[in-house]
Amino acid sequence: MAETKECHVIVEIPVDEEHQNKLVCAIQHHPLTEISKSPGHLLLLKLWQREEDLSGRRIAAKETRMDSIRREIFQLCCFFFIFHALFFTILFTSISEDNHHNNVACHKWWIPSVVSVCTSFFIVFLVQLKLYRFWKVSKQLQRERGDGRALTRCIQELRMKGASFDLSKEPQIGNKMKSSSVEIKWKPLTWLSQYVVTICLICFTGLVFPASRLVLCA
């Protein structure tokens, strides 16, 4: 069999000296080239890039923490309703055909009610604690994201301006006063929306309290 031979053809593209000089001049005046020649700007760029990386890691850690707290709140709510399901099951099974036994149980209806309320409020307290931590981490996450966006804008501006960038400039959080005024204005509504789970659990506990008497004294 005949062996195939590879042929390499080299094509030279003539480049005139004027075009080459323009290309070299453009590279020399590129912002990144100017930054590499300026120790101050290069150091600032490296510091901001490092801070941007650390900010991204902190954001990821806070997001993971929020997911963990959300799962814990869901588990506590499930335990809350499972407890009440078992509680009512025990109440219904304690009813017998003996009228004397039912009368005694009716007079002591407050005992299971107190046990139910105490257990419910303990679970509600744990849920409220988790919710408080959740929204605290959420505020930290929003602030961290705002700082990250401001830092990213400064890095982009530094890369675009090059050596003409002002080294005294620092990342600023935009619309800080505006967001604060909105939070103050809608603070009651925001609080209700954040802790609606706690409010629902407390209302359910209040409805369950007289349920023992209705079941035992019916």
Side-chain angles (χ1 to χ4, degrees):
M1 296 178 63
E3 296 182 356
T4 58
K5 296 182 179 180
E6 296 181 356
C7 297
H8 298 279
V9 180
I10 300 176
V11 179
E12 295 183 359
I13 301 176
V15 180
D16 55 347
E17 186 177 354
E18 182 180 358
H19 180 74
Q20 187 175 2
N21 291 334
K22 289 182 179 180
L23 183 61
V24 173
C25 183
I27 294 175
Q28 290 178 351
H29 291 83
H30 193 274
L32 294 179
T33 305
E34 295 178 356
I35 292 174
S36 63
K37 294 180 180 180
S38 175
H41 290 83
L42 182 61
L43 178 61
L44 183 63
L45 179 61
K46 290 182 178 180
L47 290 176
W48 279 354
Q49 287 177 339
R50 181 182 178 185
E51 183 62 29
E52 186 181 25
D53 180 65
L54 293 176
S55 177
R57 294 182 182 181
R58 288 193 296 266
I59 290 174
K62 285 180 172 58
E63 289 176 346
T64 303
R65 177 59 178 162
M66 288 181 64
D67 292 337
S68 177
I69 296 175
R70 191 182 291 110
R71 287 193 298 268
E72 293 174 359
I73 294 173
F74 178 76
Q75 292 173 359
L76 286 173
C77 292
C78 290
F79 180 76
F80 178 86
F81 289 107
I82 290 173
F83 165 76
H84 283 288
L86 294 175
F87 175 76
F88 281 109
T89 301
I90 294 173
L91 282 183
F92 281 110
T93 55
S94 64
I95 300 175
S96 64
E97 296 180 356
D98 188 0
N99 292 330
H100 177 71
H101 175 77
N102 291 336
N103 290 332
V104 174
C106 180
H107 288 296
K108 295 182 179 180
W109 67 270
W110 58 272
I111 297 177
S113 295
V114 170
V115 173
S116 173
V117 169
C118 292
T119 306
S120 299
F121 275 115
F122 177 72
I123 299 175
V124 170
F125 172 76
L126 294 178
V127 171
Q128 175 64 18
L129 186 63
K130 296 294 182 181
L131 284 173
Y132 175 78
R133 292 179 180 176
F134 177 84
W135 292 113
K136 183 178 180 181
V137 176
S138 177
K139 291 180 181 179
Q140 294 175 355
L141 179 60
Q142 292 178 0
R143 184 164 56 250
E144 195 70 43
R145 285 175 175 172
D147 294 344
R149 287 191 294 267
L151 185 60
T152 301
R153 286 194 295 267
C154 287
I155 292 176
Q156 292 176 352
E157 185 178 355
L158 174 59
R159 289 175 175 174
M160 292 175 61
K161 290 185 177 180
S164 61
F165 182 81
D166 186 9
L167 293 177
S168 62
K169 185 175 182 179
E170 295 181 358
Q172 300 292 332
I173 301 176
N175 299 327
K176 184 175 181 181
M177 296 301 296
K178 184 178 180 180
S179 61
S180 299
S181 61
V182 173
E183 289 178 0
I184 294 173
K185 184 177 180 180
W186 296 100
K187 189 173 181 179
L189 184 60
T190 303
W191 189 90
L192 290 175
S193 62
Q194 290 178 351
Y195 300 107
V196 64
V197 176
T198 304
I199 296 172
C200 292
L201 294 180
I202 292 176
C203 293
F204 185 83
T205 302
L207 294 174
V208 168
F209 180 77
S212 299
R213 184 173 183 178
L214 295 176
V215 173
L216 296 176
C217 300

